[in-house]
Amino acid sequence: MSDAIEIDLLSSAREFSICTLVTDLDEYQVMKDSFVASGFDDAQFIYADNSNGNKYDGYQAVNLFLDRAEAKYIIICHQDIELRFDDITVLRERIEAL
C-alpha cells in the first residue's frame, strides 16, 4: 500500500495562474492585457514587484508564486511577452496532447 496522498483540484478553481517578476509596471500591463485578450480573462495574475528596486530575487519570486498560486496550472513568464498569435485554446490543446 502506498503512502501517497491524492489531491483532487477543485473543479471551481481557476485553470491558470500567470506569475511574473516585474520591473516595469507599464510593460507588465501590456503583457497582462494580451493574456486577457487571448482568453485568460479568468486567470489569476500574480506579480513580484521589483519596479522600485530589487526587492525579490528569482528564487524569492518563484517561492512567492508557488505559495500564492491557486490554479491547476502555473505559468511563470517574463513581463515583456505578448500573446499575438495563439490563444488559450491552443494551450489547452497542447496540454491535452501531453
Side-chain angles (χ1 to χ4, degrees), residues 69-85:
E70 298 173 353
K72 183 175 182 179
Y73 301 106
I74 300 170
I75 298 172
I76 299 175
C77 59
H78 285 248
Q79 69 191 12
D80 61 350
I81 66 168
E82 291 182 52
L83 303 184
R84 295 183 183 175
F85 304 104

Side-chain angles (χ1 to χ4, degrees), residues 41-85:
D41 49 319
D42 192 39
Q44 175 188 29
F45 290 89
I46 304 169
Y47 69 95
D49 189 358
N50 273 357
S51 62
N52 289 317
N54 193 22
K55 183 175 177 183
Y56 299 95
D57 65 27
Y59 295 105
Q60 291 168 320
V62 168
N63 284 330
L64 172 78
F65 301 151
L66 295 177
D67 184 51
R68 298 205 179 149
E70 298 173 353
K72 183 175 182 179
Y73 301 106
I74 300 170
I75 298 172
I76 299 175
C77 59
H78 285 248
Q79 69 191 12
D80 61 350
I81 66 168
E82 291 182 52
L83 303 184
R84 295 183 183 175
F85 304 104

